[in-house]
Amino acid sequence: MALYFSLILHGMSDLFFLSTGYLRASCMMESMELLNQSQVSEFILLGLTSSQDIEFLLFALFSVIYVVTVLGNLLIIVTVFNTPNLNTPMYFLLGNLSFVDMTLASFATPKMILNLLKKQKIISFAGCFTQIFLLHLLGGVEMVLLVSMAFDRYVAICKPLHYMTIMNKKVCVLLVVTSWLLGLLHSGLQIPFAVNLPFCGPNVVDSIFCDLPLVTKLACVDTYLVQIVIVANSGIISLSCFIILLISYSLILITIKNHSPTGQSKAHSTLTAHITVVILFFGPCIFIYIWPFSNYSVDKFLAVFYTIITPILNPIIYTLRNKEMKISMKKLWRAFVNSREDT
């Protein structure tokens, strides 16, 4: 477990310390030259389309998806933490993943939905960088949580006799806290470079929300080195987590070949849900940051998929493919209905 997180942590910290000195010096020198120039106080988001009819359709569609996403993930959280049968490490991590998904869907989606009804989509400077900070914070947290869930499945399947000893309550809490710390580190390494850049002219962001690669391009100085750090930072954590997950699930699949057919079926069902979430989450993320500035229409689609579609997949995949979760939800619903009838 320590090896999983040390690989990510060391890679990010080494990158940061190697680039900090030079980047700060170069950015400060160029910023001083532009200090007296007017600063941008807001950014204009171009959104998905210029067609008002399509925007109305997207408003209705995204509103429904957002409500279902929030309610679905909230239902998972309530079910996990109110059902004794689900008081296991896997469901504890799943409940935390649902919380992150619900927050990830809310950091930019409500404003994006409201912007679909506006002709001019404006966001303040502070609001823009708040979106950037939350995007990378929550994205980093979710990546590490998915690694934690893979570690949990590895221990459960490959070391079943030691499962409850290794995955005790303290370890589960430590995994969640570590995911938030690494997410904070991932976001904190990049934001200071971007927020201190001088923005004195262009303020049009060709996207549905603010993200670092597009916003840094609007600065009045050469941001080539800053963009390299952004791509390297996000690319390293995305790719390293993805590789660790591939190795983990490969080891698990090799191990379950020796299990009984019944055990294989249950393990395959659980792993299929996990692997599906991993691929759908990491695919757009790796594409955006390993091949940035490629095609704006593709990037917009991936941005929508990453922030709106992906968070709804968690409740869909984990509930439809999980008998325990479906049974627990039905019991919780019956208990709720009975309590209302009694009153």
Side-chain angles (χ1 to χ4, degrees):
M1 180 179 68
L3 179 62
Y4 277 29
F5 298 111
S6 63
L7 287 171
I8 302 169
L9 184 59
H10 285 310
M12 291 168 61
S13 59
D14 289 346
L15 174 67
F16 174 68
F17 288 116
L18 286 171
S19 57
T20 299
Y22 183 79
L23 275 174
R24 280 185 177 172
S26 60
C27 287
M28 282 181 64
M29 289 178 64
E30 293 185 68
S31 296
M32 288 296 291
E33 296 174 3
L34 296 161
L35 191 61
N36 295 325
Q37 297 188 26
S38 60
Q39 295 293 307
V40 170
S41 60
E42 60 187 23
F43 293 97
I44 298 173
L45 302 171
L46 292 184
L48 289 172
T49 178
S50 57
S51 171
Q52 196 170 15
D53 292 335
I54 295 177
E55 285 189 329
F56 279 127
L57 290 174
L58 292 176
F59 172 80
L61 177 62
F62 291 163
S63 296
V64 172
I65 292 176
Y66 175 68
V67 171
V68 172
T69 299
V70 173
L71 293 179
N73 281 292
L74 188 60
L75 180 60
I76 289 179
I77 295 170
V78 172
T79 303
V80 167
F81 292 103
N82 285 278
T83 306
N85 293 339
L86 300 183
N87 188 20
T88 63
M90 184 182 80
Y91 289 109
F92 175 78
L93 295 172
L94 175 59
N96 281 274
L97 181 67
S98 291
F99 173 77
V100 175
D101 273 333
M102 188 169 61
T103 314
L104 184 63
S106 302
F107 87 95
T109 305
K111 183 170 181 58
M112 186 202 71
I113 291 173
L114 291 175
N115 281 342
L116 290 170
L117 301 178
K118 299 177 181 178
K119 289 185 178 180
Q120 197 168 24
K121 303 163 179 57
I122 296 174
I123 185 171
S124 66
F125 186 90
C128 181
F129 278 93
T130 299
Q131 281 191 350
I132 293 172
F133 175 78
L134 291 175
L135 171 64
H136 289 271
L137 168 66
L138 297 169
V141 172
E142 180 144 352
M143 289 178 194
V144 183
L145 267 179
L146 289 171
V147 172
S148 300
M149 293 177 74
F151 176 73
D152 170 74
R153 291 299 84 202
Y154 170 79
V155 176
I157 295 172
C158 300
K159 301 180 183 295
L161 298 178
H162 304 284
Y163 178 63
M164 293 312 298
T165 303
I166 296 174
M167 294 300 297
N168 56 63
K169 191 171 183 179
K170 289 183 179 179
V171 171
C172 293
V173 172
L174 180 62
L175 289 171
V176 173
V177 171
T178 302
S179 69
W180 281 96
L181 290 176
L182 288 176
L184 187 62
L185 178 64
H186 166 60
S187 186
L189 292 181
Q190 303 179 90
I191 297 299
F193 293 126
V195 77
N196 290 318
L197 291 171
F199 295 92
C200 53
N203 67 337
V204 178
V205 180
D206 191 8
S207 186
I208 58 174
F209 58 81
C210 291
D211 195 10
L212 272 176
L214 296 174
V215 173
T216 52
K217 286 183 68 179
L218 302 176
C220 302
V221 294
D222 183 9
T223 58
Y224 178 73
L225 290 175
V226 176
Q227 291 173 15
I228 288 178
V229 170
I230 292 169
V231 172
N233 189 330
S234 298
I236 284 174
I237 187 173
S238 303
L239 206 54
S240 59
C241 285
F242 189 63
I243 291 172
I244 290 172
L245 288 166
L246 286 179
I247 294 172
S248 300
Y249 286 124
S250 297
L251 292 173
I252 294 171
L253 289 172
I254 292 170
T255 303
I256 63 176
K257 285 184 178 180
N258 300 322
H259 286 198
S260 63
T262 305
Q264 283 187 15
S265 177
K266 186 176 180 180
H268 273 298
S269 177
T270 304
L271 288 178
T272 301
H274 283 253
I275 293 171
T276 303
V277 171
V278 166
I279 293 173
L280 292 174
F281 179 83
F282 279 92
C285 188
I286 292 174
F287 186 89
I288 289 172
Y289 288 102
I290 298 227
W291 292 279
F293 324 120
S294 51
N295 185 306
Y296 286 125
S297 60
V298 174
D299 286 347
K300 284 182 182 181
F301 169 77
L302 291 174
V304 170
F305 188 86
Y306 183 73
T307 56
I308 298 177
I309 306 300
T310 301
I312 200 176
L313 295 176
N314 184 18
I316 291 175
I317 292 172
Y318 284 111
T319 54
L320 294 180
R321 296 188 61 87
N322 192 309
K323 291 182 180 179
E324 284 182 306
M325 182 64 73
K326 286 189 286 188
I327 292 170
S328 298
M329 285 181 174
K330 288 177 182 178
K331 288 181 179 179
L332 196 66
W333 176 252
R334 287 197 200 101
F336 174 74
V337 171
N338 292 334
S339 65
R340 292 294 297 271
E341 288 177 353
D342 293 339
T343 56

